[in-house]
Amino acid sequence: EAQVTQNPRYLITVTGKKLTVTCSQNMNHEYMSWYRQDPGLGLRQIYYSMNVEVTDKGDVPEGYKVSRKEKRNFPLILESPSPNQTSLYFCASSFLMGISPLHFGNGTRLTVT
Amino acid sequence: DQQVKQNSPSLSVQEGRISILNCDYTNSMFDYFLWYKKYPAEGPTFLISISSIKDKNEDGRFTVFLNKSAKHLSLHIVPSQPGDSAVYFCAASSTSSGTYKYIFGTGTRLKVLA
């Protein structure tokens, strides 16, 4: 089954404790992206990747890192999480950015205390 | 600066009637538009898209209309069903600008009453 898989689904952590949210897709998509969803703000892009070893900032990249060492994986790294990073995070992939739709994972709800 | 706006946070419609969800955009470079549906505890799922070379696209009960001069698109659901109750996001992208992102609206929560 074609899918985008994120782990974990839920995560509660404390300020400053490094964490990684994994994302994997099995559709051989070149484009992958991370979004956060906050009440009243919709989905905002954090980082995206056009292909292996090619990443770039989205609209809200501060406090996040990403890497794209393999085509299928695009982990999101929070080196020193802060409470304002409490949010619902979605990973997404697309075959051809801009003319084919994004396929989303089921989300990771992160709480930073 | 919200480039894609969904000005109605919520909408209630009777089962069997038409649901109309609206979306406005400000960037004239946008040329590809999508609608997503999102249920609680799930990721957004793609519904329907439209390119700026068209003004209408249909897929079953779902039709998207694009008015380029007004920078406005709408999603029509006919007939509405209780299972359509969800949050709907519109999104836009520019295939020619060299920026590789979809810009999403803030969503409209649709409730279809049985």
Side-chain angles (χ1 to χ4, degrees), chain B residues 15-79:
Chain B
E15 181 180 6
R17 306 294 291 269
I18 183 171
S19 296
I20 300 176
L21 296 99
N22 294 304
C23 181
D24 297 294
Y25 62 96
T26 58
N27 189 339
S28 57
M29 296 285 287
F30 288 151
D31 54 9
Y32 184 59
F33 305 88
L34 310 94
W35 282 94
Y36 282 83
K37 177 168 73 174
K38 185 183 179 305
Y39 293 120
E42 293 183 13
T45 54
F46 170 70
L47 263 180
I48 192 169
S49 64
I50 188 167
S51 161
S52 60
I53 61 173
K54 301 173 79 171
D55 54 18
K56 176 182 174 183
N57 190 26
E58 281 183 85
D59 185 359
R61 296 187 298 114
F62 302 93
T63 302
V64 56
F65 295 92
L66 176 62
N67 182 333
K68 289 184 288 293
S69 60
K71 295 191 180 69
H72 177 84
L73 65 154
S74 60
L75 175 68
H76 292 210
I77 306 173
V78 185

Side-chain angles (χ1 to χ4, degrees), chain A residues 9-10 31 35 37 40-43 45 48 50 58-59 88 90 94 96-106, chain B residues 2 31-32 34 36 38 41-46 49 87 89 93-95 98-107:
Chain A
R9 290 294 307 275
Y10 301 92
Y31 182 89
Y35 292 83
Q37 183 188 0
L41 297 177
L43 291 157
Q45 189 179 48
Y48 66 90
M50 298 296 293
D59 295 318
L88 181 57
F90 291 101
S94 174
L96 202 57
M97 174 54 203
I99 59 173
S100 58
L102 285 166
H103 298 263
F104 283 86
N106 278 332
Chain B
Q2 193 74 24
D31 54 9
Y32 184 59
L34 310 94
Y36 282 83
K38 185 183 179 305
E42 293 183 13
T45 54
F46 170 70
S49 64
V87 177
F89 291 99
S93 73
S94 168
T95 59
T99 59
Y100 301 99
K101 56 174 70 173
Y102 290 103
I103 308 295
F104 283 81
T106 52

Side-chain angles (χ1 to χ4, degrees), chain A residues 1 19 21 26 45 48-49 53 56 59 62 64 66 68 71 77 85 90 97 106:
Chain A
E1 180 191 350
L19 66 92
V21 184
N26 62 1
Q45 189 179 48
Y48 66 90
S49 169
E53 303 291 3
D56 207 347
D59 295 318
E62 295 79 18
Y64 304 94
V66 292
R68 188 92 182 272
K71 198 170 189 178
I77 302 154
Q85 293 178 298
F90 291 101
M97 174 54 203
N106 278 332

Side-chain angles (χ1 to χ4, degrees), chain A residues 30-106:
Chain A
E30 294 192 347
Y31 182 89
M32 296 186 74
S33 184
W34 277 101
Y35 292 83
R36 59 179 289 175
Q37 183 188 0
D38 302 290
L41 297 177
L43 291 157
R44 295 181 295 165
Q45 189 179 48
I46 303 170
Y47 268 94
Y48 66 90
S49 169
M50 298 296 293
N51 211 329
V52 175
E53 303 291 3
V54 181
T55 63
D56 207 347
K57 296 176 181 178
D59 295 318
V60 288
E62 295 79 18
Y64 304 94
K65 284 175 57 176
V66 292
S67 69
R68 188 92 182 272
K69 293 184 169 48
E70 307 164 277
K71 198 170 189 178
R72 62 183 291 124
N73 295 324
F74 190 45
L76 179 69
I77 302 154
L78 284 72
E79 295 269 3
S80 182
S82 62
N84 65 10
Q85 293 178 298
T86 293
S87 187
L88 181 57
Y89 291 86
F90 291 101
C91 180
S93 71
S94 174
F95 175 65
L96 202 57
M97 174 54 203
I99 59 173
S100 58
L102 285 166
H103 298 263
F104 283 86
N106 278 332

